[in-house]
């Protein structure tokens, strides 16, 4: 296939592009190298995939409607994997307009390009953040997700609703993937594992929010990529059992699906830190802080629907995943 991957220099985007290339697909990678975090890291991710002849590296911003339309008009991809976004709860608090421009307007431009040049499947990134004020664990796509606690979560829920409109109106097969705390080598510097590692190695205290009482469904990058690629190969189709009298939030009479991608384990944050300390061979000095605005205390993914649909079975424990991250971090930063 020819697959268009937006956010191809991002953490998940570069890893998905790599897997698609390794299996023989052609990948058109789109990224604007936004400097909201380290551009050198983004370029290093891209360097791994640009070595493939079947990778085309395009510098463009999805918030520019003309750019997205022109790329789809020229490339005519078989599948679109839309991963470009301004990610992160805290970032959306600091730069709300940038979050909306990238996540809402950018997604609209992708949808419009797909309407004009329909691919077999549009797969896009959502987030576990959409569950918001929901406290019923594990989080299931059968639950409603209409009480977001951050603007970032609201933009991702908006993406799901927008996708459903285009699936219903134009028959565009769309699948949204709610990622649960993705971590691993080549990760984002603003995420906890990256920040903790940097500070521990530098002898600085780590900031632990909610006094360390969070529980998170930490999902290793390879498990996430496996889920994404399996979904790419299975375009969404209408659910013949769907009824408007008792609507199922995860499916539709339109070719629309939403799935969780998680590890199926709610790990206490303190255990995650202990695993990191063991991998680094150093103890962390903790600075305990209150819960941050917009944060969800606990997450846990119900992945039964994804398992039933594509055979998804995550199998990376945090001990292995954190060790691989630490090994990568030490090698990449020579520390």
């Amino acid at each position: 296939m020819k697959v268009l991957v937006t956010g191809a220099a991002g953490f998940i985007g570069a890893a998905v592009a790599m897997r698609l290339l390794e299996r023989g697909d052609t990948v058109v990678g789109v990224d604007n190298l936004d400097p909201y975090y380290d551009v050198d890291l983004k370029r290093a991710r891209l360097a791994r995939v640009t070595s493939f002849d079947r990778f085309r590296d395009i510098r463009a911003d999805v918030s520019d409607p003309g750019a997205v339309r022109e790329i789809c008009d020229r490339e005519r991809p078989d599948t679109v994997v839309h991963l470009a976004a301004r990610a992160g709860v805290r970032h959306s608090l600091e730069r709300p307009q940038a979050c909306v421009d990238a996540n809402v307007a950018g997604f609209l431009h992708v949808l419009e390009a797909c309407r004009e040049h329909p691919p077999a499947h549009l797969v896009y990134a959502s987030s576990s953040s959409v569950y918001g004020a929901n406290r019923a664990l594990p989080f299931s796509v059968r639950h409603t997700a209409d009480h977001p606690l951050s603007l970032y979560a609201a933009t991702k829920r908006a993406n799901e609703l927008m996708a459903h409109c285009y699936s219903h109106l134009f028959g565009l097969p769309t699948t949204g993937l709610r990622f649960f705390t993705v971590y691993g080598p080549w990760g984002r510097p603003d995420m906890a594992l990256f920040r903790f590692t940097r500070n521990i190695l530098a002898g600085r205290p780590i900031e632990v929010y909610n006094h360390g009482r969070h529980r998170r469904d930490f999902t290793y990058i390879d498990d996430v990529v496996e889920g994404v690629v399996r979904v790419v190969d299975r375009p969404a189709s209408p659910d013949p059992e769907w009824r408007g009298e008792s609507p199922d939030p995860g499916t539709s009479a339109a070719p629309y699906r939403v799935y969780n991608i998680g590890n199926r384990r709610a790990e206490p944050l303190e255990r995650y830190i202990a695993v990191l300390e063991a991998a680094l061979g150093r103890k962390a000095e903790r600075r305990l802080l209150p819960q941050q605005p917009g944060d969800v205390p606990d997450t846990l993914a119900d992945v039964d629907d994804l398992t039933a649909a594509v055979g998804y079975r995550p199998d990376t424990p945090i001990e292995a995943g954190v060790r691989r991250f630490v090994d990568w971090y030490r090698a990449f930063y020579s520390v």
Side-chain angles (χ1 to χ4, degrees), residues 66-79:
V68 178
R69 186 180 300 112
E70 190 275 331
I71 292 167
C72 285
D73 183 52
R74 183 180 69 244
E75 298 294 341
R76 303 295 175 96
D78 301 302
T79 298

Side-chain angles (χ1 to χ4, degrees), residues 299-319:
T299 65
L300 174 62
D302 178 341
V303 299
D304 287 352
D305 281 37
L306 187 58
T307 299
V310 299
Y312 172 74
R313 289 180 176 81
D315 62 2
T316 307
I318 60 170
E319 291 82 2

Side-chain angles (χ1 to χ4, degrees), residues 219 265 269 277 331:
T219 313
R265 295 179 181 85
L269 181 58
E277 289 173 326

Side-chain angles (χ1 to χ4, degrees), residues 116-303:
E116 294 177 16
H117 304 290
H121 197 190
L122 167 61
V123 179
Y124 62 94
S126 186
S127 168
S128 62
S129 296
V130 301
Y131 289 106
N134 185 358
R135 292 292 179 268
L137 297 177
F139 291 150
S140 168
V141 295
R142 309 294 176 189
H143 298 163
T144 58
D146 295 330
H147 298 87
L149 299 181
S150 68
L151 182 63
Y152 172 68
T155 65
K156 288 302 179 180
R157 182 66 179 129
N159 287 173
E160 296 175 356
L161 300 175
M162 294 162 71
H164 187 268
C165 291
Y166 276 69
S167 294
H168 169 73
L169 292 170
F170 309 114
L172 175 66
T174 67
T175 301
L177 300 175
R178 294 173 176 172
F179 297 129
F180 279 68
T181 314
V182 187
Y183 76 100
W186 302 96
R188 291 202 334 259
D190 60 322
M191 296 193 73
L193 182 60
F194 210 112
R195 291 185 289 107
F196 289 169
T197 299
R198 181 174 58 225
N199 282 16
I200 292 170
L201 289 175
R204 297 193 297 264
I206 62 173
E207 295 184 337
V208 181
Y209 292 98
N210 198 29
H211 301 279
R213 290 192 288 266
H214 283 322
R215 291 190 303 154
R216 287 285 181 269
D217 195 334
F218 296 103
T219 313
Y220 188 64
I221 182 63
D222 289 0
D223 291 332
V224 168
V225 170
E226 184 64 28
V228 173
V229 172
R230 287 177 181 239
V231 167
V232 162
D233 293 337
R234 188 184 176 92
S237 59
D239 179 359
E241 303 298 322
W242 196 88
R243 296 291 181 269
E245 295 80 7
S246 55
D248 178 350
T251 69
S252 176
Y256 166 90
R257 287 291 186 278
V258 175
Y259 295 117
N260 291 330
I261 293 192
N263 196 39
R264 304 175 299 181
R265 295 179 181 85
E267 300 282 3
L269 181 58
E270 274 297 335
R271 180 167 183 270
Y272 193 60
I273 295 171
V275 169
L276 176 60
E277 289 173 326
L280 290 170
R282 301 189 187 188
K283 283 291 185 181
E285 178 187 346
R286 293 157 173 75
R287 184 180 172 216
L288 300 180
L289 298 169
Q291 181 167 309
Q292 290 204 121
D295 269 356
V296 175
D298 302 303
T299 65
L300 174 62
D302 178 341
V303 299

